Amino acid sequence: MFRLPVGRHAIRSLYGRARRMSSLQGELAAYQQPPTKVTRLASGMRVASQYTPDETVTVGVWIDAGSRFETKENNGTAHFLEHMAFKGTKRRSRIQLEQEIENMGGHLNAYTSREQTVYYAKCFGSDLRNGVDILADILQHSTLDPGPLDFERGVILREMEEVEKTTEEVLLDRLHLTAFHGSPLGFTILGPVENIQSITREHLREYVETNYLADRIVVAAAGPVDHGELVQHSEELFCHFRPGTGKRKEETPSFYGAELLYRSEEENSLAHFAVGFEGVSWTHPDSLTFMVIQSIVGNYKRNEGLVPAKLSSNRITNSIASNLGPGAESFSAFNTSYKDTGLFGFYGESDEDTLDGYLDELLFAVSNLAFSVTEEEVERGKRQLKTTLFGSLDSTTAIAEDIARQLLVYGRRIPLAELLLRLDAINIEDVKRVAREHLFDKDVAVTALGPLSRMPALAELRRRTAARRF
């Protein structure tokens, strides 16, 4: 008779076996990845595609332009443009645009980040040309009429109200403001209320003229797509983007050890906090090791998870669950890379009494990686990262996004097989070195909100990044 093993090690064993199987499947898929075809047009625009045997295709335009390329006066313009893109062009009214997409059985979407603006369409492979034509039309011939522009102000302000209800998103925005104070990288994507209320058609057109240049644009597609056809459509339809005028002048943002606290005394409310270290850029040699460290630190949510926290092989989760009790509500590590810098750290929630001890545990756990990390922890972190990386490429939209983002960031699409080899090469000494160089005894940026009477001073938190336990 087959019996399931029981007990602490058995739970870990079953969970670990499932993780290893998922990682193994991803590794096998990595060596079977279809090639990414890339063509640079005479204008400097790049066109890229990967064939997948799907019914639908995702085709989009990824632009090297986001909120970090704004000024204090026009912050919010990139995001405002995203809202105006579907409000009508010289050839199509808003209603005609919506009807055309609906008749295709497709959909349009757009989003803005700090470094990129994205517009994409999902449609059947037979409608590829029409999808490209619609994207080219809205990006090159939007009317930006005053009526829809004024209407969208209200939409964006309501969006801002919804964002403000998401404490984690608010604090991570404030963390950027704190860490990169004085740099556009610290701006919010939506922009301040006063800008949203005052942005004009001229502001939008000026931003497009300055930033929507051919050599900063990637047209990417994934699905049942013929690369030659995609290149032909792109060359014909995206003909109004100006060529680039040379390398854009960009100053590397300075990182500041600083704090921004929002105290409130609401009864029974949790304290929310985010702590950030200066990270590294996408192209930095240690960027992949930082991703592994993020996986090692991991995340925790009280009373959630397949493995009980006190039985977890994650030392940080185990220590918090065993030593701090129910007052430690949750934490999650984050690692965000940009062109020339990065932000690594953790976001957490706790009750007021637990706050000091919680921050102490988390800061020690991160900085102590400079001296103490096991082979098991490194291998687990690598497996989890593989599962995340391979599992994220599960749709044509995700694949198209991966292609375009890598072309903008690295100048090429890194094959999964190469990424796998680089990831497998990371060892204990790499993790210790990166933690020692970037996390141990380093400045931190801190934001927090809620009942903060037990919040340690910034100087004390800074001191704890160098604390040792014997």
Side-chain angles (χ1 to χ4, degrees):
M1 179 187 295
F2 174 74
R3 295 178 183 273
L4 282 173
V6 294
R8 172 177 179 147
H9 296 293
I11 292 174
R12 287 182 181 174
S13 176
L14 289 170
Y15 182 60
R17 196 176 304 157
R19 300 286 307 211
R20 284 192 292 275
M21 284 296 293
S22 177
S23 179
L24 179 60
Q25 289 170 351
E27 291 180 34
L28 291 173
Y31 292 103
Q32 300 168 357
Q33 182 187 29
T36 301
K37 298 180 179 180
V38 182
T39 300
R40 184 181 287 273
L41 305 183
S43 64
M45 181 183 295
R46 284 165 289 179
V47 181
S49 70
Q50 178 182 311
Y51 180 89
T52 65
D54 294 274
E55 290 294 323
T56 59
V57 61
T58 297
V59 59
V61 179
W62 277 257
I63 308 171
D64 184 14
S67 59
R68 77 167 294 182
F69 305 112
E70 297 171 339
T71 64
K72 186 177 180 180
E73 291 71 30
N74 72 0
N75 177 213
T77 304
H79 177 258
F80 212 124
L81 273 166
E82 169 202 326
H83 276 255
M84 292 299 296
F86 309 129
K87 298 300 179 268
T89 72
K90 295 174 183 177
R91 286 171 49 202
R92 298 173 172 96
S93 67
R94 177 183 62 81
I95 293 175
Q96 288 174 323
L97 186 60
E98 291 173 357
Q99 287 177 338
E100 191 170 347
I101 288 293
E102 186 177 301
N103 291 338
M104 288 166 53
H107 76 262
L108 283 173
N109 210 341
Y111 63 86
T112 310
S113 67
R114 283 184 164 81
E115 291 191 329
Q116 294 175 12
T117 303
V118 180
Y119 303 84
Y120 68 90
K122 195 172 181 71
C123 58
F124 288 104
S126 56
D127 291 317
L128 176 64
R129 178 184 170 81
N130 204 17
V132 175
D133 181 52
I134 290 171
L135 290 168
D137 195 23
I138 64 176
L139 283 169
Q140 297 173 119
H141 307 297
S142 283
T143 55
L144 305 177
D145 288 338
L149 195 150
D150 288 333
F151 177 81
E152 288 304 311
R153 296 188 203 281
V155 173
I156 296 172
L157 290 172
R158 288 192 294 275
E159 180 182 346
M160 180 180 286
E161 290 175 1
E162 290 302 311
V163 169
E164 291 291 332
K165 295 176 185 177
T166 310
T167 306
E168 181 174 359
E169 191 168 345
V170 170
L171 277 189
L172 291 179
D173 261 350
R174 301 296 189 274
L175 188 65
H176 278 78
L177 172 63
T178 307
F180 303 116
H181 183 68
S183 163
L185 194 58
F187 293 167
T188 63
I189 294 169
L190 270 62
V193 171
E194 55 269 26
N195 283 13
I196 295 169
Q197 292 174 332
S198 62
I199 284 174
T200 65
R201 181 181 183 182
E202 286 66 38
H203 286 129
L204 301 179
R205 290 204 180 283
E206 182 182 0
Y207 187 86
V208 169
E209 286 291 316
T210 304
N211 294 284
Y212 285 25
L213 303 178
D215 62 347
R216 299 177 192 170
I217 294 174
V218 171
V219 177
V225 56
D226 179 276
H227 184 72
E229 288 183 15
L230 179 63
V231 170
Q232 182 181 345
H233 300 330
S234 300
E235 201 160 26
E236 175 190 349
L237 299 170
F238 289 108
C239 57
H240 296 287
F241 284 117
R242 293 189 300 114
T245 54
K247 187 171 176 61
R248 176 169 46 195
K249 184 181 179 181
E250 300 172 18
E251 292 186 6
T252 301
S254 297
F255 178 90
Y256 293 94
E259 66 179 358
L260 193 56
L261 308 181
Y262 302 84
R263 301 179 186 275
S264 71
E265 302 301 330
E266 290 185 34
E267 193 173 348
N268 298 322
S269 63
L270 292 173
H272 304 258
F273 56 86
V275 176
F277 297 78
E278 184 175 14
V280 298
S281 69
W282 285 111
T283 55
H284 193 283
D286 294 328
S287 62
L288 202 56
T289 307
F290 258 104
M291 294 182 197
V292 173
I293 291 175
Q294 180 191 3
S295 291
I296 292 172
V297 177
N299 57 74
Y300 163 76
K301 178 74 173 176
R302 186 168 62 89
N303 296 330
E304 288 188 10
L306 178 64
V307 180
K310 289 185 179 181
L311 303 183
S312 174
S313 56
N314 184 318
R315 276 194 292 174
I316 304 170
T317 295
N318 193 302
S319 175
I320 287 169
S322 300
N323 300 328
L324 296 181
E329 185 67 26
S330 68
F331 81 83
S332 60
F334 59 82
N335 176 53
T336 306
S337 290
Y338 296 105
K339 287 175 171 233
D340 45 14
T341 187
L343 198 58
F344 174 90
F346 51 81
Y347 168 84
E349 302 172 332
S350 76
D351 65 23
E352 187 172 11
D353 292 337
T354 310
L355 179 60
D356 188 356
Y358 202 9
L359 283 163
D360 190 56
E361 285 289 336
L362 289 169
L363 282 169
F364 172 76
V366 170
S367 60
N368 192 54
L369 290 173
F371 306 97
S372 175
V373 63
T374 67
E375 184 175 351
E376 179 188 358
E377 288 173 320
V378 174
E379 290 305 312
R380 187 191 71 241
K382 286 156 65 172
R383 285 196 301 270
Q384 290 177 349
L385 182 56
K386 288 175 187 177
T387 301
T388 300
L389 291 173
F390 299 142
S392 65
L393 301 176
D394 59 354
S395 68
T396 58
T397 301
I399 293 171
E401 181 175 40
D402 188 62
I403 292 169
R405 181 184 59 78
Q406 291 202 33
L407 284 173
L408 289 176
V409 169
Y410 304 118
R412 68 186 183 104
R413 176 111 188 266
I414 300 176
L416 284 175
E418 177 186 335
L419 188 62
L420 190 62
L421 290 171
R422 290 168 58 184
L423 186 54
D424 283 338
I426 294 172
N427 57 34
I428 292 175
E429 293 308 314
D430 293 321
V431 171
K432 286 182 178 179
R433 177 186 57 78
V434 170
R436 191 165 57 248
E437 292 177 1
H438 297 279
L439 304 175
F440 180 76
D441 196 14
K442 299 297 179 183
D443 287 340
V444 288
V446 180
T447 56
L449 178 152
L452 304 178
S453 64
R454 303 291 180 89
M455 182 78 182
L458 177 64
E460 171 60 17
L461 294 175
R462 172 65 177 82
R463 185 193 67 79
R464 291 181 188 182
T465 68
R468 301 292 308 277
R469 295 178 186 175
F470 300 98

